[in-house]
Amino acid sequence: MEIGSIGIVGAGQMGNGIAHVCALAGYDVTLTDVRQDALDAARQTITRNLDRQVSREKITADARDAALAKIRMTATLIDTASSDLIIEAATERESVKQAIFEDLVPHLAPQTILTSNTSSISITRLGSRTDRPQKFMGFHFMNPVPVMQLVELIRGIATDAETFAACEAVVTRLGKQAATAEDFPAFIVNRILMPMINEAVYTLYEGVGTITSIDTSMKLGANHPMGPLELADFIGLDTCLAIMNVLHDGLADTKYRPCPLLVKYVEAGWLGRKTQRGFYDYRGDGDPIPTR
């Protein structure tokens, strides 16, 4: 199947990044969100990131202008239904994702492919709640989308070969690299990454090291570009907790038990960069300050 148009549901950090790269690759993009202010912010973010690529001579000004012209924004979910491919990039809650698909399905053409950018939820289960489990799969981008080269492609148990091939062709056209993952909790990247972050939080919780010493140790000792606690703030502590809960519930192994300190930060609403406080406090003008 030839994909010419892409609908993206959710205009947050992931959704606006997906819209950016899809439009830059020449796809007609419809980006939707229930909040108009999220759409307005997405337009500003996409424009700013494209401008940065122009300034760094990664793309031309003409390519930037063409990409912006390819993006249509709407607060009406059903406006995405005419797309060849739909990528759901809403919040990491299964009930929200199911409600989106239920609203979309009656308005889709028979050949439309449905996908989810979920970082951990069962693709088989999500697909089974639609009328097209054979045309449903996981399409998991990494954050930040314009920079990161990997896309995890996850087949559900019913996903057919044609659907997988069509999605793989999209990844290639975006100039990114596909990695195929089986449909088990958190797939590949987060199955490995999130337990490491959770263990870093346990290391803090048990007093083995401070926030600064833990992050410095992993940056200088393991050559990681960001420390695990800094990375958790970037991802969002609520997202980290949600993925750890999926791993713990789905695999029934105590090694995936979320650290109580991670739970406490989420309960406090200290979710990282997006709320200006997490393991670091970002509210000042200088460098972020550790919160413990």
Side-chain angles (χ1 to χ4, degrees):
M1 178 183 174
E2 185 73 21
I3 303 294
S5 57
I6 298 177
I8 300 162
V9 183
Q13 191 173 42
M14 296 304 294
N16 74 60
I18 296 168
H20 172 147
V21 298
C22 289
L24 199 55
Y27 291 105
D28 294 317
V29 173
T30 302
L31 178 61
T32 186
D33 199 286
V34 293
R35 293 169 41 228
Q36 184 61 47
D37 62 328
L39 292 169
D40 295 340
R43 175 72 72 179
Q44 293 174 1
T45 299
I46 293 167
T47 302
R48 183 173 63 249
N49 288 340
L50 286 168
D51 285 343
R52 185 180 296 118
Q53 288 181 303
V54 172
S55 69
R56 294 176 179 175
E57 299 184 344
K58 301 287 187 182
I59 63 172
T60 65
D62 286 345
R64 173 199 61 202
D65 295 343
L68 288 171
K70 287 278 188 183
I71 301 173
R72 177 172 68 119
M73 301 210 176
T74 175
T76 304
L77 175 65
I78 306 309
D79 288 346
T80 63
S82 60
S83 304
D84 300 323
L85 167 67
I86 293 175
I87 303 172
E88 171 274 313
T91 187
E92 191 70 356
R93 291 207 306 271
E94 188 166 350
S95 60
V96 172
K97 296 178 186 297
Q98 286 178 359
I100 288 167
F101 293 130
E102 286 172 6
D103 288 345
L104 275 173
V105 160
H107 305 277
L108 301 178
Q111 72 275 12
T112 300
I113 294 173
L114 282 178
T115 68
S116 176
N117 184 59
T118 179
S119 53
S120 60
I121 298 168
S122 168
I123 297 303
T124 298
R125 190 166 64 244
L126 286 174
S128 71
R129 308 291 173 83
T130 74
D131 67 339
R132 61 196 66 210
Q134 76 282 3
K135 291 191 172 299
F136 191 103
M137 64 180 294
F139 209 129
H140 181 215
F141 289 84
M142 305 296 120
N143 184 33
V145 178
V147 175
M148 302 296 280
Q149 292 301 300
L150 182 72
V151 178
E152 281 183 315
L153 293 179
I154 307 102
R155 290 185 179 94
I157 197 169
T159 307
D160 63 28
E162 181 185 24
T163 297
F164 180 85
C167 290
E168 188 174 40
V170 171
V171 174
T172 300
R173 181 165 158 182
L174 296 180
K176 297 189 181 295
Q177 177 68 49
T180 305
E182 294 300 317
D183 185 23
F184 292 101
F187 319 129
I188 295 172
V189 172
N190 284 319
R191 172 75 176 265
I192 297 168
L193 176 63
M194 286 302 160
M196 183 196 76
I197 288 175
N198 194 53
E199 193 62 27
V201 183
Y202 267 115
T203 305
L204 175 65
Y205 176 62
E206 293 169 2
V208 179
T210 64
I211 289 173
T212 301
S213 63
I214 291 166
D215 277 351
T216 299
S217 294
M218 293 307 294
K219 284 191 284 188
L220 301 184
N223 206 28
H224 290 189
M226 297 173 72
L229 302 175
E230 182 186 5
L231 179 57
D233 275 0
F234 180 75
I235 293 167
L237 303 192
D238 53 338
T239 300
C240 294
L241 178 58
I243 295 169
M244 287 308 302
N245 281 329
V246 167
L247 281 165
H248 190 235
D249 294 345
L251 297 172
D253 192 323
T254 56
K255 74 180 180 180
Y256 298 115
R257 182 172 68 96
C259 179
L261 183 60
L262 176 60
V263 175
K264 195 60 63 181
Y265 268 77
V266 174
E267 288 176 344
W270 292 18
L271 308 181
R273 286 181 177 270
K274 60 187 173 185
T275 60
Q276 295 298 297
R277 277 192 294 186
F279 291 113
Y280 293 87
D281 190 328
Y282 301 90
R283 294 174 298 172
D285 295 329
D287 292 336
I289 300 169
T291 54
R292 289 181 74 83

